[in-house]
Amino acid sequence: MSGFGNTSRRGLSFYLLAAFFALFVLFLYGPTATILILSFQGPEGGLTFPMNGVSLHWFRNLFEQQAVGDFGGSFRRSIALGLMVMVLTVLFSVLAGFAFRRRFRGSGALFYLAVASLIVPSILVSLGIGLFFNILGLEPAWYSSALGAHLTWTLPFGLLIVFAIFNRFNPAYEEAARDLGASPWQTVRHVVLPILLPSLIGVGLFGFTLSYDEFARTLMTAGSFNTLPLEIYGMTTNVTTPVLYALGSLTTLFSFAVIGLFLLGLIALRRHRLRRSGI
């Protein structure tokens, strides 16, 4: 009977932590929710509350010819740049992970040099790469200088994640494959990479989302054509209608959709492995 009908009283610390967490969630998602709500303003609606009707007018207006802003072009450039950064981040991270499995002369210095860009202010990285291209007489562009600037941001994270994965990797799987006559390439292709694949998908998603949203490292390196974050920033001084909110809502939904697709891919991969193992 002692287990029924008794409710333990929560202390003051519980309510303080609960209030702090609620404020954190409000601070984190409140601005996004506000923009999402205001994007459904009526045709005569403005940039602030109160709402002047509810409609999809500004979403339709987003796909019409705009006096300022190149939504479609900047969106395509951001997607292309994000995909390039994603592929290169995964590729270089995996190669570095294999290379650093055995210590070599200067490996420590090389590692710290690779991750040092995390502590350098992003705007300084952008400025330095832009100036370097100008010194070489090259025109900065989103597919060259901006690509390099984004890799200075995504690659250190990819390296840290892959190094952590390899530290937990059991070399007995590779030894078993070699005992069965597998070549080094067959061991990597059929044993190591399938085991690492879920984590590598996470590295790719991390690289894509960091690049897709990056502003500071793109500011001085994108050249004549803006990516989506630069385009949105430029529109804040020119656009005075909720079409800007509609754009923000669509890009936020797109980000969630990308994350959802990756998660569905991981679930499908796990189910495929379970079927193959007969579980």
Side-chain angles (χ1 to χ4, degrees):
M1 293 295 293
S2 61
F4 298 92
N6 293 332
T7 58
S8 58
R9 298 185 60 183
R10 302 186 186 275
L12 178 62
S13 60
F14 171 81
Y15 295 102
L16 291 176
L17 290 174
F20 176 79
F21 178 74
L23 290 174
F24 170 75
V25 172
L26 181 63
F27 178 81
L28 186 63
Y29 294 105
T32 302
T34 301
I35 290 176
L36 180 63
I37 294 172
L38 288 175
S39 64
F40 291 95
Q41 283 268 31
E44 304 300 326
L47 296 175
T48 59
F49 290 104
M51 298 280 289
N52 191 358
V54 178
S55 72
L56 297 175
H57 171 78
W58 301 110
F59 288 94
R60 291 192 296 267
N61 184 260
L62 188 61
F63 296 97
E64 299 173 356
Q65 185 66 34
Q66 301 290 325
V68 293
D70 178 19
F71 305 141
S74 61
F75 178 74
R76 288 190 295 270
R77 285 187 287 272
S78 287
I79 293 298
L81 180 58
L83 291 175
M84 289 191 293
V85 170
M86 177 184 71
V87 172
L88 293 177
T89 298
V90 173
L91 177 62
F92 290 147
S93 297
V94 172
L95 294 178
F98 280 111
F100 276 83
R101 295 185 77 182
R102 295 181 179 179
R103 293 189 63 85
F104 54 89
R105 186 184 299 272
S107 59
L110 183 60
F111 169 76
Y112 289 115
L113 182 64
V115 300
S117 62
L118 291 178
I119 62 175
V120 179
S122 297
I123 192 65
L124 293 183
V125 174
S126 177
L127 179 61
I129 293 177
L131 291 176
F132 182 69
F133 267 67
N134 288 331
I135 292 173
L136 296 179
L138 301 174
E139 184 70 23
W142 64 269
Y143 51 82
S144 56
S145 54
L147 174 62
H150 284 207
L151 286 175
T152 65
W153 181 233
T154 63
L155 194 54
F157 285 108
L159 292 177
L160 293 173
I161 295 172
V162 170
F163 287 173
I165 296 169
F166 273 113
N167 285 336
R168 300 194 309 268
F169 188 82
N170 189 352
Y173 297 120
E174 297 170 281
E175 296 174 2
R178 287 192 293 267
D179 291 341
L180 293 174
S183 65
W185 168 242
Q186 288 175 324
T187 302
V188 171
R189 179 183 177 186
H190 297 291
V191 178
V192 178
L193 289 182
I195 294 176
L196 300 181
L197 185 58
S199 300
L200 296 183
I201 292 177
V203 172
L205 176 60
F206 201 49
F208 177 84
T209 53
L210 286 178
S211 172
Y212 178 74
D213 293 332
E214 182 57 29
F215 173 80
R217 296 181 190 240
T218 319
L219 185 60
M220 304 292 182
T221 58
S224 303
F225 297 97
N226 287 337
T227 57
L228 189 60
L230 296 181
E231 197 71 25
I232 293 176
Y233 177 76
M235 288 173 57
T236 57
T237 59
N238 298 316
V239 178
T240 58
T241 63
V243 69
L244 183 61
Y245 297 153
L247 177 61
S249 298
L250 287 182
T251 55
T252 301
L253 292 176
F254 173 78
S255 299
F256 281 117
V258 170
I259 295 173
L261 288 175
F262 271 91
L263 291 177
L264 289 175
L266 287 174
I267 294 173
L269 178 63
R270 179 176 177 81
R271 289 180 176 175
H272 176 70
R273 287 184 172 181
L274 291 176
R275 285 197 298 267
R276 289 188 61 182
S277 61
I279 300 178

